[in-house]
C-alpha cells in the first residue's frame, strides 16, 4: 500500500497543476455520476421486486380467503405463462399428510417450519418450467402453509434493461466529467497561466511594464486567483518604480559626476605640466583640484547613503532629539557664520527620546539646516523649533505617548507651487537653486533617513515667505 502511495505522489509531482486539477475535478464528477447511477439501479431493482412481492401477497390473500378450510393440494398450476395467475399450493406440516398428487412447487424443510409456526413467512427465488419465479411461503391456519409463485423473468429483464441504461448514462457522465474537468482546469487556472506567461516574459525581456489582464468586476467580488493576479500586478508596479528609480539614479549620478570628473582630469593634466606654470597658477590649480575632490567625495558618499534602505537594527539606540538638535545647530553656526540660527525647545520635548542611529539623525538635521542656510539671505535667521504633543488615547510617559515635531524655517524665496512636489527627489534642483553649490541629494537623503526612523518629513510654504520643513516623529 505504501508503494502505491509513493507511485501516486510521484505521479502528482511529475504532472502539471492543470492536469492534476483536471483529473481531480473529473474524478469528483465521475464519482458522483457513478454513485447516482448505482443508487438509482438499486432503487429501481428494489421497487420492481417490491411490486412483484405485493402481487404475491395479494394472490396469497385471495387464495387464503377461498381455501381457508381446504386440505393439502395444488390450488393453481398455470403460472408457466406470464399472463397466468399465480401458482398456489397448500402444504401440511407433516409429510405423511401430503396428497397423492405431487406438488408443483418445491417443498423444503423451511416450508414445513412455516406450517408448524416455527418460522415467519418469507420470499424466495426458484426456477420452474425453465423460468425464474418468485415464491411466497406463508402460514395458512393450523399446521398448514401456503406457497404462491409468479414468473419473475419480466422483472429481471426490466432490471437488466435499467442496469444497461444506467451504465450508458454513467459512462456519458464520466465523459462529461472529463470534459468539465478540462474546462474547469483551463478556466480556473487561466489567470495563473497569464501570471506565468507574464513572469516568463519579464524574465526574458527584463521589462517590468507588463501586466496581467484582470476580468472586469468590483475588487470585493474577485476570486482568490484574480486577487493573486492583482497582487502580482501591484508587485510589478512596485518593481517597475524601483527599476525606474534605479535607472534614473544611475543616469542622474552619471550626469552629476561627468562635470566634476572632467574638471578633475583637466586640473590633473594641468598639474602634470607644473614646470610650465607659475607659482600662482600652480596653487590655483591645486586648490581647484582639492575642492573638486571634496565635491566628488561628498557626492559619492551621498549616493552610498541613498543606496541604504533602512537602518541596521543593532545600531539603534534611544536618542534624545533635543541634544541632537542643539549639536546640529551649533555645527551649522560654525559652518555658516553669516547666518544666525535660533533653536527653541519646548520643555516637554527636552527629554523626549526616540530609537535611532545618532549619526544618521544628525546627518538629517544637518542637511535641513544647511539647505535653509543656503537659501537664506545674509543676516536673516534660520529658525528651528522642537515641540511635543500628546497623542490621543496614549498613556503617560515621555516617549511612546507623545508626537515629536521639529520644524526648520528660512526667510528665503521659498518653494514655488510647481517645485513643491519634487523637492525631495534625487538630483532635483529648482531654477533658483541651480546656481548654488550642492548636488541635489541632501533633501532626498533627509527624507530617506526620516522614513527609515519611522518619521515623516514634509515641506511647505511658510507664512510670510520662506520655506518650512516639518519633521514628525510619531
Amino acid at each position: 500500500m505504501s508503494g502505491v502511495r509513493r507511485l501516486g505522489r510521484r505521479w502528482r509531482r511529475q504532472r502539471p497543476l492543470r492536469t492534476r486539477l483536471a483529473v481531480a475535478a473529473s474524478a469528483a464528477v465521475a464519482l458522483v455520476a457513478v454513485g447516482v447511477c448505482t443508487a438509482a439501479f438499486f432503487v429501481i431493482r428494489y421497487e420492481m421486486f417490491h411490486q412483484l412481492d405485493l402481487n404475491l401477497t395479494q394472490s396469497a390473500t385471495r387464495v387464503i380467503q377461498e381455501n381457508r378450510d381446504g386440505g393439502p393440494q395444488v390450488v393453481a398450476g398455470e403460472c408457466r405463462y406470464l399472463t397466468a395467475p399465480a401458482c398456489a399450493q397448500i402444504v401440511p406440516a407433516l409429510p405423511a399428510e401430503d396428497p397423492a398428487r405431487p406438488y408443483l412447487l418445491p417443498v423444503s424443510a423451511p416450508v414445513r417450519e412455516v406450517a408448524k409456526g416455527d418460522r415467519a413467512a418469507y420470499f424466495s427465488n426458484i426456477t420452474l418450467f425453465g423460468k425464474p419465479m418468485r415464491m411466497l411461503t406463508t402460514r395458512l391456519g393450523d399446521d398448514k402453509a401456503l406457497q404462491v409463485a409468479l414468473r419473475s423473468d419480466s422483472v429481471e429483464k426490466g432490471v437488466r434493461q435499467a442496469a444497461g441504461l444506467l451504465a450508458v448514462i454513467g459512462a456519458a457522465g464520466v465523459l462529461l466529467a472529463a470534459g468539465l474537468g478540462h474546462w474547469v482546469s483551463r478556466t480556473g487556472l487561466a489567470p495563473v497561466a497569464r501570471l506565468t506567461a507574464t513572469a516568463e516574459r519579464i524574465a526574458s525581456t527584463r521589462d517590468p511594464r507588463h501586466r496581467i489582464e484582470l476580468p472586469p468586476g468590483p475588487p470585493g467580488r474577485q476570486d482568490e486567483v484574480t486577487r493573486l493576479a492583482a497582487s502580482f500586478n501591484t508587485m510589478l508596479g512596485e518593481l517597475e518604480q524601483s527599476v525606474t528609480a534605479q535607472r534614473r539614479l544611475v543616469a542622474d549620478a552619471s550626469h552629476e559626476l561627468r562635470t566634476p570628473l572632467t574638471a578633475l582630469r583637466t586640473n590633473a593634466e594641468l598639474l602634470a605640466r607644473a614646470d610650465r606654470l607659475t607659482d600662482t597658477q600652480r596653487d590655483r590649480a591645486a586648490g581647484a583640484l582639492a575642492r573638486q575632490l571634496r565635491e566628488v567625495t561628498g557626492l559619492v558618499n551621498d549616493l552610498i547613503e541613498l543606496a541604504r534602505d533602512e537602518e541596521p537594527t543593532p545600531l539603534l539606540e534611544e536618542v534624545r532629539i533635543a541634544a541632537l538638535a542643539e549639536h546640529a545647530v551649533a555645527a551649522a553656526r560654525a559652518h555658516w557664520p553669516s547666518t544666525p540660527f535660533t533653536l527653541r525647545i519646548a520643555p516637554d520635548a527636552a527629554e523626549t527620546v526616540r530609537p535611532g542611529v545618532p549619526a544618521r539623525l544628525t546627518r538629517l538635521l544637518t542637511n535641513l539646516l544647511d539647505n535653509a542656510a543656503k537659501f537664506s539671505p545674509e543676516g536673516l535667521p534660520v529658525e528651528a523649533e522642537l515641540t511635543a504633543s500628546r497623542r490621543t488615547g496614549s498613556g503617560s510617559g515621555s516617549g511612546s505617548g507623545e508626537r515629536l515635531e521639529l520644524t526648520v524655517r528660512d526667510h528665503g524665496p521659498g518653494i514655488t507651487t510647481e517645485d513643491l512636489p519634487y523637492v525631495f527627489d534625487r538630483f532635483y534642483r529648482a531654477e533658483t537653486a541651480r546656481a548654488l553649490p550642492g548636488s541635489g541629494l541632501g533633501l532626498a537623503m533627509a527624507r530617506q533617513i526620516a522614513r527609515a526612523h519611522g518619521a515623516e518629513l514634509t515641506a511647505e510654504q511658510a507664512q510670510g515667505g520662506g520655506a518650512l520643513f516639518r519633521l514628525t516623529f510619531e
Side-chain angles (χ1 to χ4, degrees):
M1 195 66 180
S2 60
V4 174
R5 292 197 189 97
R6 285 196 297 271
L7 288 176
R9 286 195 295 269
R10 188 179 302 116
W11 183 88
R12 288 193 296 270
R13 287 195 299 268
Q14 294 175 352
R15 295 297 181 273
L17 178 60
R18 177 175 295 177
T19 301
R20 284 181 281 164
L21 181 60
V23 171
S26 302
V29 178
L31 286 176
V32 172
V34 172
V36 170
C37 291
T38 302
F41 167 75
F42 283 106
V43 169
I44 292 173
R45 182 177 180 276
Y46 170 79
E47 289 296 332
M48 295 183 73
F49 276 99
H50 181 64
Q51 187 63 39
L52 181 60
D53 293 344
L54 288 178
N55 292 337
L56 285 173
T57 302
Q58 292 175 356
S59 299
T61 302
R62 186 173 59 254
V63 171
I64 290 173
Q65 292 174 351
E66 295 174 354
N67 301 273
R68 187 175 299 276
D69 297 329
Q73 59 178 315
V74 176
V75 178
E78 299 298 326
C79 58
R80 71 178 62 192
Y81 306 107
L82 286 173
T83 58
C87 297
Q89 65 185 24
I90 300 174
V91 180
L94 299 176
E97 298 178 2
D98 289 342
R101 182 182 176 184
Y103 291 117
L104 180 63
L105 303 175
V107 179
S108 59
V111 178
R112 306 289 184 180
E113 294 175 358
V114 172
K116 294 178 182 178
D118 296 338
R119 181 170 180 169
Y122 66 93
F123 293 94
S124 58
N125 298 316
I126 62 173
T127 301
L128 191 65
F129 310 116
K131 304 294 183 181
M133 304 191 75
R134 182 77 167 170
M135 184 176 67
L136 169 63
T137 302
T138 185
R139 193 175 186 192
L140 176 63
D142 296 332
D143 296 330
K144 288 183 292 184
L146 174 64
Q147 291 179 287
V148 183
L150 281 173
R151 283 183 58 174
S152 61
D153 48 345
S154 60
V155 175
E156 293 183 355
K157 180 180 179 181
V159 171
R160 288 194 298 271
Q161 290 176 344
L165 181 61
L166 290 173
V168 172
I169 295 174
V174 171
L175 294 177
L176 179 62
L180 288 175
H182 179 69
W183 177 79
V184 167
S185 66
R186 287 182 60 87
T187 304
L189 294 179
V192 177
R194 293 195 295 268
L195 188 150
T196 303
T198 302
E200 292 174 348
R201 188 161 57 249
I202 292 173
S204 60
T205 62
R206 296 182 180 274
D207 185 2
R209 292 177 296 177
H210 300 287
R211 296 294 185 272
I212 301 172
E213 295 183 5
L214 300 178
R221 297 183 180 179
Q222 294 177 347
D223 57 19
E224 290 79 1
V225 179
T226 304
R227 290 202 299 271
L228 173 62
S231 300
F232 191 74
N233 282 343
T234 303
M235 183 188 69
L236 288 177
E238 297 293 335
L239 177 62
E240 181 183 3
Q241 292 181 2
S242 177
V243 172
T244 302
Q246 182 183 17
R247 291 173 178 172
R248 186 170 65 247
L249 175 63
V250 173
D252 292 342
S254 301
H255 175 74
E256 293 292 332
L257 284 170
R258 187 178 295 116
T259 299
L261 287 178
T262 302
L264 278 174
R265 179 179 178 181
T266 301
N267 288 316
E269 291 176 351
L270 184 61
L271 288 174
R273 298 190 296 271
D275 54 338
R276 304 179 186 178
L277 302 177
T278 65
D279 293 340
T280 303
Q281 292 175 331
R282 186 166 50 250
D283 293 340
R284 185 164 58 248
L289 181 63
R291 184 175 61 256
Q292 290 155 1
L293 280 173
R294 287 195 299 270
E295 292 179 1
V296 171
T297 301
L299 179 59
V300 171
N301 289 335
D302 289 344
L303 290 173
I304 294 174
E305 292 289 340
L306 284 172
R308 299 173 58 181
D309 290 333
E310 58 185 15
E311 307 305 326
T313 301
L315 298 181
L316 294 178
E317 57 182 270
E318 293 297 321
V319 180
R320 194 161 65 91
I321 305 300
L324 285 184
E326 292 172 349
H327 174 74
V329 169
R333 286 169 180 159
H335 189 261
W336 303 88
S338 61
T339 301
F341 288 85
T342 64
L343 174 62
R344 193 184 74 84
I345 300 177
D348 53 353
E351 300 299 327
T352 303
V353 296
R354 287 292 185 273
V357 180
R360 299 280 285 160
L361 290 174
T362 301
R363 183 65 181 274
L364 186 159
L365 300 179
T366 300
N367 286 0
L368 293 180
L369 295 171
D370 287 346
N371 182 79
K374 184 168 60 175
F375 288 95
S376 290
E378 186 175 353
L380 293 181
V382 171
E383 303 168 359
E385 182 177 6
L386 181 65
T387 59
S389 59
R390 183 74 59 184
R391 288 203 299 263
T392 304
S394 61
S396 61
S398 61
S400 61
E402 293 178 342
R403 176 186 291 109
L404 197 62
E405 185 175 273
L406 175 69
T407 58
V408 177
R409 179 193 174 174
D410 62 60
H411 292 270
I415 306 173
T416 64
T417 305
E418 295 78 12
D419 294 330
L420 195 58
Y422 310 105
V423 293
F424 294 107
D425 289 353
R426 296 168 179 173
F427 297 105
Y428 181 79
R429 305 183 74 183
E431 292 185 4
T432 57
R434 291 174 184 173
L436 298 175
S439 61
L441 296 176
L443 292 180
M445 186 186 308
R447 170 168 278 190
Q448 178 171 300
I449 296 173
R451 289 181 173 176
H453 286 79
E456 185 61 30
L457 178 61
T458 58
E460 59 190 77
Q461 296 175 350
Q463 294 182 356
L468 176 67
F469 289 87
R470 194 184 306 273
L471 178 65
T472 305
F473 292 89
E474 294 291 343

